């Protein structure tokens, strides 16, 4: 792997040179949404300036260019994820993708007495769709717990996988604890028992090389805005036979082959699940984002973020009264923490005045917060464009803020 010049990489992100409250921005909220390099911003701009038209409808030149750009983005994303383009449903993000599986795969199949297994560390996007489906079918939800270090208790998880379990839905990487779950091993155990697996890859795709085919899951969801792409973009990968067996989720244009009042013939997958005009410019941007990440190399990104995580963990651990939530050995660059005597929101608000952007709150993970026994945490999340100096600035700001709150 050739050495990456990280200061040049950082210069690709225009927003990172702005100031907040008169101080250089230190953006430590990439788990919430990632910043965008100029190539992504320019790709979206160029689409609207030169190619804007609707997809799959018009025979004129702009229509063909727009369709090619949109389908080109699907191919780039598929290559990035190591899947086939015709198994990749483009959609608005993980939330849509998980709802699509819940409503289109699970709802017609589940019955009273069936079970869905989730884990304690899920984002609400991987809990509420299953609750909605469970309410309508009479299925029950079972929960796999986490241990003190923030790792899944795997023997307990496997013990939950009894014959009535039809679906196991779990996150690849926790957005609160940073824990990287052994997705391949978990999917292998589920498959041996005939259980369909749904993996939430929102926090994995931006940070590590993904080989979805190698994981051996049945469905995998990603969201574009966390991986240097525009908001309102994402995808669901599904095994082709499963996608083909699923009824449409939303009806409308693009997802049909022929419509008559007597009945409608639906389009093939993946278009069957892409009703209406998609976020074409957004996907053009996501295609550029995938090219950008690939040009740096996901292995280089992963090791850069590991270094940043190690630095930040060491510096924060030295602060008296600071508690870190989640210490799994396999951990993404996310640190949730609390400082004794200070409320998470107060910390985040005062850090913002120092130019440091961290998130505070429940991180869309109420069940995990209940388990941790706290209403909220602060979360600093790092990306490859962050620097070691920024970590030092953050830690110095935190010490200052804590003195103010004491
Ligand atoms: N799952 C996880 C683990 C997340 O971190 C997020 C976003 O914060 C989501 C799902 C939801 O993603 P989106 O809102 O982009 O659909």
């Amino acid at each position: 792997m050739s050495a990456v010049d990280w200061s040049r990489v950082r210069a690709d992100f225009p927003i990172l040179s702005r100031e907040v409250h008169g101080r250089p921005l230190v953006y430590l909220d990439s788990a919430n949404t990632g910043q965008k390099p100029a190539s992504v911003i320019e790709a979206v701009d160029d689409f609207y300036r030169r190619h804007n038209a609707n997809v799959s409808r018009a025979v004129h030149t702009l229509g063909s260019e727009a369709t090619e750009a949109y389908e080109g983005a699907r191919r780039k994303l598929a290559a990035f994820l190591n899947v086939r383009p015709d198994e990749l449903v483009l959609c608005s993000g993980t939330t849509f993708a998980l709802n699509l599986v819940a409503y289109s795969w699970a709802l017609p199949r589940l019955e009273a007495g069936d079970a869905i297994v989730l884990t304690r560390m899920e984002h609400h996007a991987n809990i509420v769709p299953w609750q909605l489906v469970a309410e309508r079918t009479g299925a029950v939800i079972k929960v796999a717990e986490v241990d003190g270090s923030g790792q899944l208790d795997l023997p307990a998880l496997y013990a939950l996988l009894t014959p009535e379990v039809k679906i196991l839905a779990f996150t690849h990487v926790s957005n609160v604890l940073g824990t990287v779950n052994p997705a391949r091993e978990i999917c292998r155990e589920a498959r041996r028992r005939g259980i369909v697996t749904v993996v939430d890859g929102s926090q994995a795709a931006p940070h590590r090389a993904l080989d979805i085919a190698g994981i051996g899951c049945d469905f995998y969801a990603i969201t574009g805005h966390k991986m240097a792409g525009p908001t309102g973009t994402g995808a669901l990968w599904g095994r082709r036979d499963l996608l083909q067996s699923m009824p449409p989720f939303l009806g409308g244009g693009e997802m049909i082959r022929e419509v008559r009042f007597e009945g409608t013939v639906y389009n093939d997958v993946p278009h069957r699940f892409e009703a209406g005009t998609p976020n074409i410019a957004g996907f053009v941007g996501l295609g550029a984002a995938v090219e950008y990440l690939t040009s740096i190399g996901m292995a280089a990104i992963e090791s850069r973020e590991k270094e940043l995580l190690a630095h930040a963990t060491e510096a924060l651990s030295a602060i008296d009264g600071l508690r870190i939530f989640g210490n799994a050995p396999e951990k993404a660059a996310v640190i949730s923490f609390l400082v004794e005597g200070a409320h998470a929101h107060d910390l985040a608000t005062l850090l913002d005045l120092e130019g440091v952007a961290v998130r505070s709150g429940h991180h869309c993970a109420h069940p995990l917060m209940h388990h941790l026994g706290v209403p909220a945490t602060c979360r600093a999340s790092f990306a490859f464009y962050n620097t070691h100096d920024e970590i030092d600035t953050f830690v110095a700001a935190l010490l200052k803020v804590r003195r103010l709150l004491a």
Side-chain angles (χ1 to χ4, degrees):
M1 195 193 320
S2 61
V4 178
D5 181 346
W6 292 108
S7 58
R8 280 189 61 181
V9 167
R10 182 179 170 84
D12 292 335
F13 292 78
I15 205 169
L16 297 180
S17 58
R18 72 161 277 185
E19 295 193 338
V20 168
H21 301 297
R23 306 197 184 236
L25 167 67
V26 176
Y27 185 76
L28 303 182
D29 198 18
S30 294
N32 204 354
T33 197
Q35 295 303 352
K36 322 302 176 202
S39 61
V40 169
I41 299 167
E42 284 157 13
V44 174
D45 181 84
D46 180 65
F47 176 78
Y48 280 128
R49 283 181 192 278
R50 294 176 38 81
H51 308 289
N52 181 46
N54 212 329
V55 290
S56 318
R57 293 180 188 179
V59 295
H60 57 68
T61 300
L62 295 190
S64 312
E65 288 175 6
T67 304
E68 176 45 34
Y70 180 68
E71 291 303 328
R74 189 194 310 274
R75 288 193 296 274
K76 287 175 200 168
L77 189 58
F80 184 74
L81 301 171
N82 192 28
V83 296
R84 286 170 44 163
D86 62 0
E87 295 183 336
L88 201 58
V89 179
L90 302 184
C91 61
S92 62
T94 299
T95 301
F96 188 100
L98 295 171
N99 275 276
L100 169 54
V101 184
Y103 280 95
S104 195
W105 191 85
L107 186 60
R109 286 172 176 79
L110 292 185
E111 295 174 352
D114 288 341
I116 302 164
V117 171
L118 307 177
T119 86
R120 172 67 63 183
M121 64 174 83
E122 297 312 311
H123 186 282
H124 296 160
N126 203 19
I127 299 175
V128 183
W130 303 114
Q131 288 177 324
L132 291 168
V133 162
E135 271 167 24
R136 287 167 66 171
T137 57
V140 295
I141 290 175
K142 299 187 192 180
V143 180
E145 294 296 344
V146 296
D147 65 17
S149 70
Q151 294 180 88
L152 283 176
D153 180 342
L154 291 177
L157 164 59
Y158 301 146
L160 282 181
L161 302 182
T162 48
E164 64 276 18
V165 176
K166 299 292 181 289
I167 298 164
L168 165 62
F170 67 97
T171 193
H172 196 166
V173 175
S174 162
N175 64 319
V176 178
L177 305 166
T179 311
V180 180
N181 288 317
R184 186 189 291 252
E185 176 190 329
I186 294 171
C187 290
R188 190 174 56 231
E189 290 297 324
R191 199 167 53 248
R192 277 178 37 196
R193 296 163 172 84
I195 296 168
V196 163
T197 45
V198 184
V199 183
D200 175 350
S202 307
Q203 299 289 348
H207 305 296
R208 45 190 47 232
L210 271 186
D211 174 12
I212 292 182
I215 290 172
C217 55
D218 294 297
F219 295 100
Y220 197 99
I222 59 131
T223 199
H225 69 95
K226 295 187 200 287
M227 45 191 287
T231 51
T233 62
L236 174 73
W237 172 81
R239 267 185 26 216
R240 193 164 173 80
D241 55 326
L242 295 184
L243 290 175
Q244 274 170 334
S245 73
M246 285 159 53
F249 177 33
L250 298 179
E254 314 288 351
M255 51 76 70
I256 50 84
R257 201 178 281 293
E258 185 173 4
V259 178
R260 292 172 187 261
F261 282 114
E262 298 73 41
T264 288
V265 182
Y266 305 123
N267 208 339
D268 291 335
V269 295
H271 306 285
R272 184 191 301 172
F273 302 110
E274 297 177 7
T277 300
N279 180 2
I280 309 164
F283 281 103
V284 170
L286 184 56
V290 160
E291 278 177 340
Y292 179 79
L293 295 175
T294 307
S295 74
I296 299 173
M298 292 310 291
I301 286 175
E302 188 178 343
S303 80
R304 166 76 173 174
E305 293 178 355
K306 267 203 173 107
E307 282 172 22
L308 294 170
L309 176 68
H311 178 172
T313 305
E314 193 185 333
L316 291 176
S317 304
I319 297 179
D320 249 7
L322 186 143
R323 177 179 169 202
I324 292 178
F325 298 85
N327 301 296
E330 263 300 295
K331 189 176 164 178
V334 168
I335 305 183
S336 285
F337 65 93
L338 278 176
V339 176
E340 218 180 323
H343 194 281
H345 291 310
D346 294 340
L347 281 175
T349 305
L350 290 176
L351 283 170
D352 180 58
L353 294 176
E354 301 294 318
V356 180
V358 298
R359 182 169 172 192
S360 61
H362 52 66
H363 314 295
C364 300
H366 277 152
L368 179 60
M369 292 292 139
H370 289 155
H371 176 79
L372 297 173
V374 294
T377 69
C378 270
R379 182 186 70 186
S381 52
F382 308 89
F384 54 91
Y385 44 68
N386 289 124
T387 66
H388 290 278
D389 285 350
E390 284 184 306
I391 291 173
D392 295 339
T393 305
F394 159 52
V395 172
L398 190 58
L399 290 170
K400 177 176 168 191
V401 157
R402 191 178 64 162
R403 280 195 300 276
L404 291 174
L405 288 171

